[in-house]
Amino acid sequence: MTLIKQQKNGLIYHHNPHWNIPHGFFTRKISDNASDNDENIYKGLNCGIGSNDAPDRVQANLNHVCQTLLGNDANKSALALLHQYHSARLIAVPFAAHAIRAKNGRVKGDAMISMAGSDCKNLMGIMTADCVPVLFYDKQTGITAAAHAGWKGALAGVLESTITAMRAMYGMRYRDNAQNIEALIGPAIAQKSYQVGAEFYDNFIERDSNYQQFFIPDSDISDNGEKQTKYLFDLKNFVKHLLTQAGVHTITVSPDDTVAQEDDYFSYRRSCLRGEADYGRNISVIGFQLLS
């Protein structure tokens, strides 16, 4: 199965045509933003509330996403967003009044879970800029979920937390397995773009020696002119491995590299390599219905 590119309402996103709910991994492209400064680091569909972009512009972009998937009457009030912090914390949507919130008022967490219902009028949104966005859907039960999986969150168990919660929502009716869950792994940093040091590598191998399969030895020149061992890390396939270990059988992986494909995606690593002051955020969304 492959993700299909869709252009609608001036935006471009990738989705699974076999899922009958609104969802998609949005690119940064906006067909009607020709007036934007080509040198602007936020050029395009920057949805990062935490970025230093003009707040009005970010809000307009979020409205644009909602209208593209939900209709022209929708706006960002239909979009549930988290204060992501590379944790394993999963939050049920709609958010409970007692949910832990960050100083900016947003609920803290890195994954969300809800029900799609028969008529989705709301969206769960995940922000990324090289980390892996994962969308989940169980067509049998109608459960949907979305997770933000950087290397820290993946090691912390955010994917397993999501699968466990999806199982628990229907208890014994779910037969205690994940065979009905489908997962989409969205655009993220590719292995060729993800060079890491020995300490990073050792952190994974100390957890599980089998994790070495996600690293390729690479060399780099240090400040003193000597070669030192580096590694190229395959984050997307590491995420796929964890999902498979958790019992998910149907997994689709986007081939897109957020670092290399500058015209299509914002990238934290690319901004760091260039010494830029900030970076935009990509958004991935999936629908849910507020059930009474």
Side-chain angles (χ1 to χ4, degrees):
M1 186 187 305
T2 58
L3 297 174
I4 302 300
K5 182 167 72 173
Q6 179 81 25
Q7 183 164 350
K8 183 179 179 182
N9 203 23
L11 303 185
I12 295 175
Y13 60 94
H14 297 85
H15 71 124
N16 180 346
H18 301 293
W19 284 14
N20 61 346
I21 54 172
H23 71 282
F25 302 101
F26 282 80
T27 72
R28 68 185 292 182
K29 290 185 175 180
I30 303 179
S31 63
D32 58 357
N33 70 340
S35 62
D36 281 0
N37 182 350
D38 288 341
E39 301 302 320
N40 189 335
I41 59 176
Y42 306 117
K43 177 179 173 62
L45 190 74
N46 173 30
C47 292
I49 296 175
S51 72
N52 294 322
D53 196 0
D56 289 348
R57 185 167 183 266
V58 174
Q59 299 299 328
N61 286 340
L62 294 174
N63 286 338
H64 205 166
V65 168
C66 293
Q67 290 162 3
T68 298
L69 292 184
L70 301 178
N72 291 334
D73 292 335
N75 58 52
K76 64 172 287 292
S77 65
L79 180 62
L81 298 173
L82 295 170
H83 176 90
Q84 301 168 187
Y85 64 114
H86 302 281
S87 70
R89 183 184 294 276
L90 178 137
I91 307 296
V93 182
F95 302 137
H98 61 271
I100 299 174
R101 296 180 181 270
K103 291 182 180 179
N104 56 28
R106 280 181 284 150
V107 173
K108 295 182 68 174
D110 284 275
M112 287 177 278
I113 185 171
S114 193
M115 295 292 297
S118 59
D119 186 20
C120 295
K121 293 297 184 182
N122 295 272
L123 300 170
M124 295 180 280
I126 293 294
M127 303 293 182
T128 58
D130 289 334
C131 291
V132 178
V134 187
L135 303 180
F136 301 84
Y137 183 34
D138 181 345
K139 295 178 182 177
Q140 183 178 28
T141 63
I143 301 170
T144 57
H148 162 245
W151 72 266
K152 289 182 181 179
L155 276 183
V158 67
L159 301 168
E160 293 86 346
S161 294
T162 304
I163 298 301
T164 298
M166 293 182 77
R167 288 172 171 167
M169 281 190 77
Y170 269 82
M172 292 304 295
R173 284 180 58 189
Y174 209 96
R175 299 192 303 279
D176 197 31
N177 62 53
Q179 67 179 10
N180 299 312
I181 297 174
E182 297 183 11
L184 307 181
I185 294 176
I189 188 171
Q191 186 168 27
K192 65 182 181 181
S193 300
Y194 204 172
Q195 188 186 69
V196 299
E199 184 177 351
F200 184 102
Y201 172 82
D202 291 342
N203 187 31
F204 276 76
I205 303 308
E206 288 171 2
R207 298 286 189 98
D208 188 334
S209 60
N210 290 323
Y211 288 167
Q212 64 183 323
Q213 65 183 295
F214 303 108
F215 294 86
I216 297 175
D218 194 25
S219 61
D220 197 8
I221 305 297
S222 65
D223 292 340
N224 59 14
E226 296 180 356
K227 283 189 176 182
Q228 56 183 338
T229 301
K230 298 278 189 176
Y231 299 88
L232 297 177
F233 177 50
D234 192 347
L235 177 59
K236 282 193 279 191
N237 273 319
F238 177 63
V239 166
K240 182 180 179 181
H241 169 78
L242 295 179
L243 291 172
T244 301
Q245 292 294 105
V248 181
H249 295 184
T250 304
I251 305 170
T252 302
V253 183
S254 167
D256 287 3
D257 180 357
T258 50
V259 179
Q261 295 174 232
E262 182 174 2
D263 290 342
D264 297 307
Y265 303 104
F266 298 105
S267 165
Y268 169 72
R269 173 159 290 223
R270 187 174 63 237
S271 72
C272 289
L273 292 173
R274 292 179 176 175
E276 294 171 340
D278 195 19
Y279 55 97
R281 275 71 157 180
N282 312 299
I283 191 168
S284 305
V285 298
I286 189 167
F288 72 95
Q289 183 175 357
L290 290 174
L291 302 176
S292 57

